[in-house]
Amino acid sequence: MATPRIIKHYASAVLIFIFSATTSALASDNEMVDSLIKKADVYIFSNPDTAEKIIDEAILIARQINYDDGIAGAKRTKGLIKYYAIEFSQALDLLIESNSIYQRTKNKKGQASALNLIAVIYSDQDRNKESLDIYNKILSIAQEDTFRMAATFNNIGATYLGMNNLMACHEYYLKAINLIQKIEEPESESQFSNNLGALYIKLNNADSAYYYIRHGLEIANSIQNLHRLSNSYEIFGDYYYWQEDIPLALENYHRALEYAREMGVVYEIGSIAGGLSRAYASNKDFENAHAYLSLQKQMDDSVKNKEIATYITQIELEKGFQKERDLNEALNARNRMERDIYLIIIFFVVVIFIILSYSYVQKKKAYQLLQTQRDTLLAQKEEIRIQAEQLTELNNIKAKLFSIISHDLRSPLSSLISIVEATKKNTLSKEQFQEMLNDMHENIGATANLANNLLGWARSQQEGMSIRPENLKIRKLVEEETAMQYTAMKNKNLKLVNNIPGEIFAFADENMLRLIVRNLLSNAIKFSYRNGCITLSGCLVDDYAEVKIKDEGMGMPASTKEMLFTQAVLSTNGTHNEAGTGLGLILCREFIMLNKGKISTESEPGKGSTFTFRLPLARKKQEALL
């Protein structure tokens, strides 16, 4: 059996020759990808949009040259960009892909970096046990990487801090700063020192707190890192607030806010604004306290409602890791199949070289066996591709609904939390309290309408959804729904004219028709100007009952009109900046189609809009006409 070894060694020699000939050309391309990744890292905080454009270019080039470590590194950096943008789902998908590629290329340093960010997401969602498990895995694979070990110790300490285990937090924070001081990493040393300072405030150790915060600030000044400077001054503000030195607390908070605004990092601005509000309230300056409390609320709104984001991200985590497991299993199966095919090909090549007398029938059988296995592999690849497309479609639908929920439910909850906190602290005047209460009332009304639409959407997506049509008097139903909109019309001083004849009956599902009328009326009010008029009219057209809802509002351009009633979720603020989700018109179209009707619109910018829908006539009325 010497011949197979000779062939194997010959093939290896050819591969080595080809690799050597192309290495010099690939090296420069690889360096270009690495350079783009480093360039994107610089812009993560100062200009995240630019950072994302650079990293997308790096991914494109890395794919073109099959530079796997470059693809993994770029996806890891893009995951970090998405994390700071509070886009947890996309961040997780990118980090899982990065970790999977690093596992395949056996790059432990890269794998540790990707796993670290996955653990941070777990920790942010209070899934501390899973987070600690990942950090321990990082420690086992990064023992020769001092920086990664120090960063992991720091993150373990932060996780224990979230669990309110201050002693364990203190132990790991000390490990982190002692280790980072052995290498030249000033930015991390500043961060770790600030973390220790903040911890000593919680431990009521004023001297140690001041020492470490001062140390972190000195390093931040030496490297002029805006993020670290903002963090240092904010913690100094916390320190002086704790020491009841309110003037110094305010001075440090304002300096921190200046750097945070220069970076444009939303959660930093919100955190510092909260400190300023507390400090001004302690100083009995309730006007400024309210102003910074409002800024904090504004920033918190943009970061999204924490409870909903936590729930969504937990779902994403579970599905994301399941996706990784399925992907790894599919890749392993494919690799085993390709290895088996490779071995079979080598076997038959060796047989052909050694036994020249093989018969035609034996060659044909070998070819047929190879062809069968090739077809099997192609069939498996096609199955994987179809499954991936189905998963992508499901993820898009889910992401669309989750983005609506996380965006439009956050405001009333945030308003409620803010007003409760402010009431407990007695920092609001009666007028400010009433203003926040009015805002909350409007938000809760909008949220109730959103909840109805979401429930309607969920029902419409169920297979086999049934409708219960009956004869309905349209004018009576419209009058009942109009009464529900009284407050909204009163706020804009709108006049409503109902010209729908009382004798028009339609054959439709009552709940669906109510939702249709409610959404179209709500849209007309939303886009009407103050003191305007909304006109309702109806008539019989062929075998249909036709209803028109006309407003004198802002109207819409042709490009927007073309997108109505599609699966695209469009949302435009109303004349008084009323927010919406765009889900209502999609539901109107689907429910009208389920009831065998039609819907259309006419609109011009500045001249208002008219929405027209038709439903089948009530059965008795229709029979009377025949």
Side-chain angles (χ1 to χ4, degrees):
M1 296 299 293
T3 304
R5 289 187 180 181
I6 294 172
I7 292 175
K8 183 177 180 181
H9 292 165
Y10 174 78
S12 299
V14 171
L15 290 173
I16 291 171
F17 173 78
I18 295 172
F19 177 79
S20 300
T22 57
T23 296
S24 59
L26 290 175
S28 60
D29 290 334
N30 292 356
E31 290 173 358
M32 180 186 298
V33 173
D34 294 337
S35 175
L36 287 171
I37 294 173
K38 290 179 180 178
K39 186 176 180 181
D41 285 337
V42 174
Y43 288 106
I44 286 178
F45 289 108
S46 62
N47 194 334
D49 290 338
T50 298
E52 187 168 355
K53 289 179 182 178
I54 294 172
I55 213 65
D56 285 340
E57 182 180 356
I59 293 173
L60 179 62
I61 296 173
R63 282 176 174 162
Q64 290 173 345
I65 63 175
N66 295 320
Y67 179 25
D68 286 344
D69 275 352
I71 296 172
K75 285 183 176 291
R76 185 263 178 197
T77 296
K78 188 169 183 178
L80 182 61
I81 295 170
K82 294 298 182 183
Y83 170 76
Y84 281 122
I86 322 297
E87 297 177 16
F88 296 124
S89 173
Q90 295 183 46
L92 182 66
D93 286 342
L94 289 162
L95 294 170
I96 288 174
E97 290 178 28
S98 174
N99 178 51
S100 178
I101 297 171
Y102 278 136
Q103 280 183 311
R104 190 169 68 247
T105 61
K106 295 180 171 51
N107 186 331
K108 291 185 176 181
K109 184 175 181 180
Q111 187 181 352
S113 177
L115 284 172
N116 175 69
L117 288 176
I118 294 173
V120 169
I121 294 178
Y122 263 124
S123 183
D124 283 349
Q125 309 310 314
D126 294 327
R127 301 187 65 173
N128 297 309
K129 183 181 182 302
E130 293 93 331
S131 179
L132 290 173
D133 288 342
I134 295 178
Y135 285 135
N136 287 325
K137 181 178 180 180
I138 294 172
L139 291 177
S140 69
I141 65 176
Q143 295 179 0
E144 298 178 1
D145 186 343
T146 303
F147 169 75
R148 180 53 56 198
M149 292 285 287
T152 303
F153 284 143
N154 177 75
N155 290 341
I156 292 175
T159 302
Y160 277 121
L161 181 62
M163 298 167 66
N164 205 31
N165 188 339
L166 301 185
M167 293 299 101
C169 172
H170 182 252
E171 175 188 350
Y172 280 97
Y173 273 177
L174 284 178
K175 285 184 179 181
I177 198 164
N178 289 336
L179 196 57
I180 203 67
Q181 287 174 344
K182 296 179 180 180
I183 58 177
E184 190 67 22
E185 282 290 340
E187 181 179 354
S188 296
E189 184 177 351
S190 175
Q191 177 189 355
F192 297 173
S193 185
N194 286 337
N195 290 347
L196 261 173
L199 177 62
Y200 279 123
I201 292 175
K202 291 181 178 292
L203 294 173
N204 293 316
N205 188 334
D207 292 339
S208 295
Y210 184 88
Y211 170 79
Y212 280 105
I213 301 171
R214 172 58 61 184
H215 184 61
L217 178 58
E218 289 172 352
I219 296 174
N221 271 317
S222 69
I223 61 176
Q224 282 299 295
N225 184 292
L226 298 181
H227 196 196
R228 298 278 68 84
L229 284 168
S230 175
N231 183 236
S232 295
Y233 281 117
E234 181 184 4
I235 298 175
F236 250 135
D238 293 339
Y239 172 83
Y240 285 117
Y241 179 79
W242 171 51
Q243 293 294 310
E244 298 183 355
D245 189 342
I246 304 304
L248 276 177
L250 289 171
E251 178 183 342
N252 281 277
Y253 279 140
H254 277 295
R255 296 187 72 174
L257 184 60
E258 180 181 348
Y259 288 119
R261 279 177 164 160
E262 187 172 349
M263 288 187 300
V265 180
V266 171
Y267 66 86
E268 291 275 8
I269 297 173
S271 175
I272 297 165
L276 279 165
S277 179
R278 291 191 299 273
Y280 274 117
S282 297
N283 217 25
K284 307 299 182 183
D285 185 348
F286 296 120
E287 182 176 354
N288 275 318
H290 176 261
Y292 284 105
L293 180 62
S294 298
L295 176 60
Q296 181 189 21
K297 176 183 175 297
Q298 179 185 349
M299 295 300 103
D300 289 346
D301 283 352
S302 66
V303 173
K304 303 178 183 177
N305 180 269
K306 182 178 179 181
E307 293 180 0
I308 295 175
T310 297
Y311 177 72
I312 293 171
T313 306
Q314 286 174 350
I315 295 174
E316 292 295 331
L317 286 166
E318 294 299 333
K319 292 192 175 182
F321 276 107
Q322 183 61 45
K323 177 183 176 183
E324 181 190 28
R325 289 192 289 271
D326 293 344
L327 180 60
N328 286 335
E329 183 178 345
L331 289 173
N332 289 336
R334 186 183 70 179
N335 290 338
R336 287 194 297 271
M337 180 67 71
E338 290 177 344
R339 181 195 61 195
D340 292 342
I341 292 176
Y342 176 76
L343 292 175
I344 291 171
I345 293 173
I346 294 297
F347 171 77
F348 279 104
V349 170
V350 172
V351 170
I352 290 171
F353 273 103
I354 295 175
I355 308 174
L356 298 176
S357 60
Y358 257 22
S359 68
Y360 172 76
V361 174
Q362 290 172 318
K363 293 179 181 178
K364 186 176 181 179
K365 287 181 179 180
Y367 175 79
Q368 289 175 341
L369 177 60
L370 180 61
Q371 186 66 29
T372 299
Q373 291 171 338
R374 176 180 176 276
D375 292 341
T376 301
L377 178 61
L378 291 175
Q380 290 179 344
K381 287 183 176 179
E382 179 64 16
E383 183 179 351
I384 292 172
R385 184 189 66 78
I386 293 173
Q387 290 175 350
E389 289 179 353
Q390 292 173 344
L391 182 59
T392 299
E393 183 177 352
L394 288 175
N395 280 340
N396 288 338
I397 295 173
K398 169 203 64 188
K400 177 172 62 178
L401 292 178
F402 283 167
S403 66
I404 291 171
I405 295 171
S406 63
H407 182 274
D408 288 274
L409 291 183
R410 69 181 185 221
S411 181
L413 292 176
S414 297
S415 298
L416 183 58
I417 292 170
S418 297
I419 195 169
V420 170
E421 289 181 352
T423 303
K424 287 173 62 179
K425 296 176 182 179
N426 197 24
T427 60
L428 294 178
S429 66
K430 181 178 179 181
E431 291 76 13
Q432 292 169 340
F433 177 83
Q434 187 62 45
E435 180 182 347
M436 292 184 71
L437 195 62
N438 291 337
D439 290 341
M440 186 175 67
H441 178 267
E442 292 182 4
N443 285 337
I444 290 175
T447 303
N449 189 46
L450 170 62
N452 288 332
N453 282 341
L454 286 172
L455 289 173
W457 171 265
R459 289 183 60 223
S460 72
Q461 299 305 301
Q462 294 175 350
E463 294 184 4
M465 177 184 176
S466 62
I467 64 172
R468 297 178 175 84
E470 57 182 299
N471 294 339
L472 300 172
K473 188 174 183 179
I474 294 180
R475 182 181 177 90
K476 179 181 178 184
L477 185 146
V478 169
E479 286 174 346
E480 292 172 355
E481 291 301 322
T482 301
M484 301 294 292
Q485 304 286 346
Y486 174 77
T487 301
M489 289 188 292
K490 182 179 178 183
N491 289 339
K492 285 189 172 182
N493 195 29
L494 296 177
K495 178 182 178 183
L496 188 138
V497 178
N498 188 349
N499 291 329
I500 299 176
E503 65 274 10
I504 295 181
F505 287 78
F507 187 67
D509 184 290
E510 180 178 356
N511 290 330
M512 292 185 180
L513 181 54
R514 286 187 180 277
L515 188 142
I516 293 165
V517 173
R518 189 181 312 135
N519 275 295
L520 293 179
L521 274 173
S522 178
N523 260 19
I525 295 169
K526 174 181 175 181
F527 295 108
S528 288
Y529 296 109
R530 178 174 292 278
N531 302 320
C533 179
I534 297 174
T535 304
L536 310 179
S537 60
C539 63
L540 301 180
V541 179
D542 298 329
D543 294 334
Y544 292 92
E546 180 179 276
V547 176
K548 292 181 181 286
I549 299 178
K550 179 181 179 181
D551 64 69
E552 300 173 354
M554 59 195 297
M556 69 187 85
S559 58
T560 301
K561 196 168 76 171
E562 290 175 0
M563 297 294 291
L564 294 180
F565 311 118
T566 68
Q567 289 298 322
V569 179
L570 300 174
S571 179
T572 304
N573 287 350
T575 55
H576 281 196
N577 206 30
E578 301 99 323
T581 65
L583 191 58
L585 290 180
I586 297 176
L587 280 175
C588 288
R589 175 182 177 274
E590 292 199 9
F591 284 177
I592 288 173
M593 290 180 65
L594 284 171
N595 284 276
K596 300 180 180 179
K598 305 172 185 177
I599 186 169
S600 62
T601 183
E602 298 177 5
S603 182
E604 289 185 31
K607 296 185 179 181
S609 302
T610 300
F611 284 84
T612 303
F613 66 89
R614 295 180 180 179
L615 293 171
L617 286 174
R619 290 190 171 180
K620 290 182 179 180
K621 293 288 182 180
Q622 191 172 2
E623 291 169 1
L625 292 174
L626 294 177

